[in-house]
Amino acid sequence: MAKANQRDFYEVLGVAKTATVDEIKSSYRKAALKWHPDRNPENKHEAEAKFRECTEAYSVLSDPEKRQIYDTYGHAGLSQAGGMGGVDFSGTIFQDFHDIFGDFFGFEDVIGGGRRGRTRQQRGADLRYDMTLTFEEAASGVSTKIKLPKQELCGPCHGTGAKTGTGATACQNCGGRGQLAYQQGFFTITRTCPACQGSGQIIKERCPDCRGQGRIHREKTIDLRVPAGVDSGTRLRVPGEGEAGANGGPNGDLYVVLDVKEHTFFERRGADLYCTIPVSIVQATLGAEISVPGLTGEERLKIPEGTQSGAVFRIKGHGLPDPRGGGKGDLYYHVRVLTPSKLTREQRKLMEQLGATLSVENKPAERGSSFFDKVKDIFG
Ligand SMILES: [Zn+2]
Ligand SMILES: [Zn+2]
C-alpha cells in the first residue's frame, strides 16, 4: 500500500535518479547498518521505521523491473502492480539484506530466512561427569582415567548417516535448506526443519553402523589430571571431550565435577585445615613437645608451659595447596585440656595436695577474645 506521504525512494537512499545498482547497494548497506533495530536499542521504534523505509526503497530500486515501474508511475504504480513492491516484506528483502552482509551482525536466527544449501554447524553438547575423591587424593592431586559414555561421529559414514555408496536426496519439506522460514510481523523467523533435522537431506539407505544417526555411542577413556588442593564443587574443564558437533561443528567440553570426602579429623576451610588435639592437664601445665598427625606425616607441636584449654597453634604453610598455584594454607591445632575423670586413690591425694597450694579466682572471664586472638604461630 502506498502511503500518502511516502518519501521518494531515491531520497530515502540518498542517491541520484541515475544511480547504478552498485551505488544503490552501497548506499543501502550504509543506511541498513546505521538503522538496524538491533544496533539502536535506545530508539528501536525510530530505527525500525527508518530501516524498513530504506529496505523497502532498496527492494524496489535494486530490482530493474520494479524500478522501472516506480520511475514511470511512482508509489502508486507499485501498489497497482499487485504487491510487487511497496510495503511487501517478503523473505526476499531480508534475503537480499543477508546476501550483502552475510553473518556480519550474527543474528542469522532472527532475520534472513536462512541461506540456501547451507546446513547449520552445531556445537556438541557439554558433558558433566561426577567424580568422588578421598581427602588424601584431593590434597595431593591425582592422575586418573575416567570412562565416559559419549556420542562420537560415526566413522564409516563420516557422520552423514547414509550407507556407504548410497547418496542422499534433498529434503522435500524444506527444499534442501534445512530450515523453514516463518513470517512474524517485521521479522522472518527461521526454524530447523523437523523432517531432516536441519541437514537439508533425506537419506535413502541408512548406515548400518549408526542406523542413520551419524553418531555412535561409545565408551571413551580419558586421562584426567586432578591438581592438588581441589575441593568439593571444583569443576575441571576438559576442552573438546564433550559430545561431537553436528555438521562439522566443534565438540562440546567435558566438565568433571568433584566431590571430596571428609577427613576423619581434619576440618577444611578453603586451603586451611583444623583439628582438635587433646593434652593432659600435666602437659598443659608444665609444657610438652608432642607429635601430632599432619597432612603428609607427623608434625612436632610444642605446648608451652601454662597452655590454656582452647589455645590454638598454627603451623604456617602446612595446609592444603591452592589448586590454582597460589601457595599453601595453614594447619591449625586446637588444644583441649583433658580433665581426668577417674582417679586412683593416690592420684586423688596428689590432686588434693596440689589444690591446697593453688588458688583460682572463680570470676567470669571477659568477653571478646576471638578465636584468632588465641592463635599462636609455630615455626618449624
Ligand atoms: Zn528438511
Ligand atoms: Zn554411520
Side-chain angles (χ1 to χ4, degrees):
M1 284 292 136
K3 292 177 213 107
N5 58 348
Q6 200 160 9
R7 282 172 73 202
D8 179 66
F9 284 154
Y10 291 96
E11 200 186 290
V12 167
L13 290 181
V15 293
K17 292 236 191 284
T18 53
T20 64
V21 173
D22 280 347
E23 283 171 327
I24 288 164
K25 209 169 198 175
S26 140
S27 180
Y28 169 61
R29 183 197 188 97
K30 276 183 213 135
L33 281 171
K34 184 178 173 192
W35 292 115
H36 196 283
D38 285 3
R39 300 188 119 203
N40 294 274
E42 294 90 351
N43 56 342
K44 236 182 162 82
H45 254 65
E46 196 205 346
E48 199 172 296
K50 294 268 194 195
F51 182 78
R52 182 187 276 262
E53 191 179 42
C54 64
T55 301
E56 194 185 341
Y58 173 70
S59 78
V60 172
L61 298 187
S62 62
D63 180 324
E65 202 185 331
K66 288 181 193 171
R67 186 177 177 181
Q68 205 197 339
I69 293 170
Y70 178 72
D71 284 348
T72 317
Y73 305 104
H75 290 294
L78 290 169
S79 53
Q80 272 171 23
M84 266 184 72
V87 196
D88 173 21
F89 271 79
S90 67
T92 60
I93 291 174
F94 288 103
Q95 196 74 55
D96 294 338
F97 178 74
H98 240 268
D99 289 344
I100 299 174
F101 299 114
D103 281 341
F104 186 84
F105 289 113
F107 44 60
E108 180 147 27
D109 286 335
V110 183
I111 63 164
R115 274 173 288 169
R116 281 180 183 86
R118 179 171 177 259
T119 50
R120 292 173 61 75
Q121 292 197 338
Q122 264 184 326
R123 188 178 173 276
D126 288 338
L127 290 177
R128 176 189 165 130
Y129 183 92
D130 291 300
M131 187 173 176
T132 304
L133 295 175
T134 64
F135 184 91
E136 288 76 14
E137 285 172 327
S140 61
V142 65
S143 284
T144 183
K145 288 183 198 303
I146 54 176
K147 282 200 173 122
L148 201 66
K150 60 183 286 191
Q151 290 206 313
E152 291 203 312
L153 222 58
C154 174
C157 67
H158 306 287
T160 61
K163 190 177 172 184
T164 321
T166 70
T169 49
C171 171
Q172 304 250 304
N173 194 40
C174 60
R177 283 187 296 273
Q179 292 180 324
L180 298 171
Y182 302 88
Q183 200 70 37
Q184 199 166 90
F186 178 60
F187 289 121
T188 302
I189 311 287
T190 63
R191 298 244 161 77
T192 302
C193 170
C196 62
Q197 269 94 47
S199 69
Q201 297 187 319
I202 297 288
I203 292 153
K204 276 189 265 176
E205 250 185 288
R206 289 175 174 187
C207 164
D209 293 80
C210 62
R211 290 193 296 275
Q213 297 299 300
R215 283 184 262 182
I216 289 180
H217 273 289
R218 213 172 251 154
E219 196 168 69
K220 192 177 178 190
T221 306
I222 292 164
D223 291 309
L224 183 75
R225 209 189 68 74
V226 179
V230 292
D231 202 352
S232 283
T234 300
R235 277 193 341 165
L236 302 174
R237 178 172 164 264
V238 189
E241 292 295 354
E243 294 206 338
N247 304 318
N251 287 1
D253 296 334
L254 168 69
Y255 287 93
V256 180
V257 181
L258 301 177
D259 181 44
V260 178
K261 283 188 194 156
E262 284 185 13
H263 195 272
T264 326
F265 45 78
F266 282 125
E267 191 193 324
R268 174 176 185 168
R269 284 177 218 166
D272 295 334
L273 293 175
Y274 297 78
C275 86
T276 301
I277 291 291
V279 298
S280 77
I281 198 162
V282 179
Q283 286 173 319
T285 310
L286 302 179
E289 197 173 322
I290 58 175
S291 93
V292 290
L295 186 57
T296 51
E298 301 232 305
E299 298 275 4
R300 299 294 292 171
L301 192 61
K302 218 173 168 178
I303 306 289
E305 212 178 292
T307 291
Q308 302 295 329
S309 195
V312 180
F313 298 96
R314 166 168 58 190
I315 306 182
K316 279 196 165 178
H318 283 213
L320 290 163
D322 180 340
R324 283 164 295 269
K328 281 183 162 192
D330 301 332
L331 189 50
Y332 290 89
Y333 291 101
H334 187 262
V335 166
R336 195 168 71 207
V337 177
L338 288 183
T339 308
S341 53
K342 270 186 187 159
L343 294 176
T344 62
R345 200 180 295 170
E346 199 176 342
Q347 284 169 330
R348 177 171 288 275
K349 213 168 174 185
L350 288 168
M351 277 300 224
E352 281 166 358
Q353 281 175 23
L354 182 63
T357 63
L358 286 174
S359 66
V360 171
E361 237 184 302
N362 295 112
K363 67 165 193 176
E366 276 178 38
R367 293 181 54 196
S369 71
S370 78
F371 173 82
F372 284 100
D373 294 339
K374 296 182 202 151
V375 174
K376 291 178 187 73
D377 284 332
I378 293 168
F379 302 95

